[in-house]
Amino acid sequence: MDVLVRLLQLLMLLLTLPLHLMALLGLWQPLCKSYFPYLMAALADKTNRKMENKKRELFSEIKGLMGTSGKVALLELGCGTGANFQFYPAGCRITCLDPNPHFEKFLKRSMAENRHLQYERFVVAPGEDMKQVADGSMDVVVCTLVLCSVQSPKRVLQEVHRVLRPGGVLFFWEHVAYPRGSQAFMWQQVFEPTWKHIGDGCYLTRETWKDLENAQFSEIQMERQPPPFKWLPVGPHIMGKAVK
Ligand SMILES: C[S@@+](CC[C@H](N)C(=O)[O-])C[C@H]1O[C@@H](n2cnc3c(N)ncnc32)[C@H](O)[C@@H]1O
């Protein structure tokens, strides 16, 4: 299987050689950072239509964390275009964080469309180092389709744990690897080196549930879902919450 994967990866590499050469020369990344927000904006409505019921159900739990103030401090980690805003209840005070500043234009549009929320600030930083966000300052962290792209899921989850208050909750929705040894997993391995460039650093074969289980959360609830789009090599998804 390993030899077959290597051969097919080589074939993919040859078919997409200009892309890999540009990446090698450092020309691809800046281009990708500029076009990726447009791609995410184009996909957001489609994804939200498919996931509407599930996202609504997951984020309805935020209300329970509001206490008597009726407010909740929420960090949208890897916020992208702000695709989740429409699912949040009124009373959320949102801090957005993303290392790609090109998302700001799209973020502002989502903010204008969701005036029931209060926006605090947009922090341009990676999730691995969120020093602009104080310890224990967040009631909720939301992370959707992000842990596939970060450099270190482990460090990001340590940072999430740090910024959450005791009892605070991380809500997640992430795509993950198919089972090892399956044909679908083999194709994920074949596509991954090319997909990583197209998808702004997105890995297809991460077993993110293991990172979540190994992080220091006191309680985790997680459900596995089939991929929302069959035509993409992204695999099954995991959705759930982790409590500090
Ligand atoms: C596939 S998009 C998902 C965006 C949004 N969360 C959504 O559900 O539509 C991945 C996002 O993760 C961000 N990202 C990449 N590396 C990151 C990192 N190290 N820390 C935080 N966010 C990161 C990207 O800039 C992008 O906004």
Side-chain angles (χ1 to χ4, degrees):
M1 192 82 135
D2 268 2
V3 178
L4 182 61
V5 169
R6 294 279 168 260
L7 281 174
L8 290 169
Q9 276 177 341
L10 192 64
L11 186 65
M12 274 300 292
L13 192 136
L14 290 174
L15 287 172
T16 54
L17 196 59
L19 170 66
H20 289 276
L21 282 176
M22 280 179 77
L24 202 67
L25 296 171
L27 302 174
W28 178 256
Q29 246 226 341
L31 189 70
C32 179
K33 292 280 172 216
S34 309
Y35 87 73
F36 196 62
Y38 287 90
L39 184 65
M40 288 312 297
L43 284 175
D45 281 351
K46 237 182 163 61
T47 310
N48 275 344
R49 270 200 301 277
K50 281 250 174 198
M51 293 307 299
E52 180 166 358
N53 291 344
K54 288 283 178 194
K55 279 194 176 186
R56 231 174 253 300
E57 191 186 327
L58 183 73
F59 297 134
S60 68
E61 295 196 34
I62 293 174
K63 266 201 162 149
L65 293 156
M66 282 183 173
T68 49
S69 69
K71 302 260 181 231
V72 81
L74 184 154
L75 172 68
E76 178 87 39
L77 170 60
C79 57
T81 60
N84 294 324
F85 292 169
Q86 60 185 287
F87 303 105
Y88 298 153
C92 289
R93 287 171 31 233
I94 305 199
T95 301
C96 299
L97 181 138
D98 203 291
N100 185 351
H102 298 294
F103 273 111
E104 190 164 15
K105 180 170 113 186
F106 298 91
L107 207 51
K108 282 189 171 151
R109 198 179 297 164
S110 296
M111 288 172 179
E113 286 167 1
N114 291 283
R115 295 206 181 274
H116 64 293
L117 306 173
Q118 186 184 328
Y119 300 99
E120 299 286 318
R121 59 192 171 132
F122 175 40
V123 180
V124 178
E128 288 86 347
D129 182 8
M130 303 195 277
K131 56 178 163 298
Q132 297 92 331
V133 186
D135 294 6
S137 60
M138 293 292 152
D139 302 298
V140 170
V141 176
V142 172
C143 180
T144 60
L145 307 178
V146 174
L147 293 174
C148 54
S149 303
V150 303
Q151 286 194 359
S152 167
K154 186 177 167 200
R155 283 213 331 264
V156 170
L157 290 171
Q158 278 168 353
E159 278 289 86
V160 169
H161 196 270
R162 177 184 68 75
V163 304
L164 277 173
R165 63 152 165 89
V169 178
L170 164 68
F171 292 99
F172 57 85
W173 178 55
E174 295 289 336
H175 68 81
V176 295
Y178 281 107
R180 281 169 189 249
S182 66
Q183 215 178 76
F185 180 69
M186 183 198 81
W187 285 112
Q188 284 188 313
Q189 288 177 293
V190 171
F191 287 128
E192 188 164 76
T194 303
W195 181 262
K196 228 167 58 187
H197 293 309
I198 300 169
D200 191 22
C202 171
Y203 285 80
L204 295 169
T205 59
R206 282 200 170 152
E207 296 176 324
T208 305
W209 66 90
K210 292 184 182 168
D211 296 306
L212 283 156
E213 282 161 0
N214 291 333
Q216 308 147 292
F217 294 100
S218 63
E219 181 198 328
I220 299 192
Q221 288 173 21
M222 195 182 313
E223 94 173 31
R224 215 173 161 87
Q225 300 162 350
F229 301 112
K230 296 264 179 328
W231 47 273
L232 284 175
V234 293
H237 285 56
I238 51 172
M239 181 178 257
K241 66 174 188 179
V243 183
K244 176 169 172 180

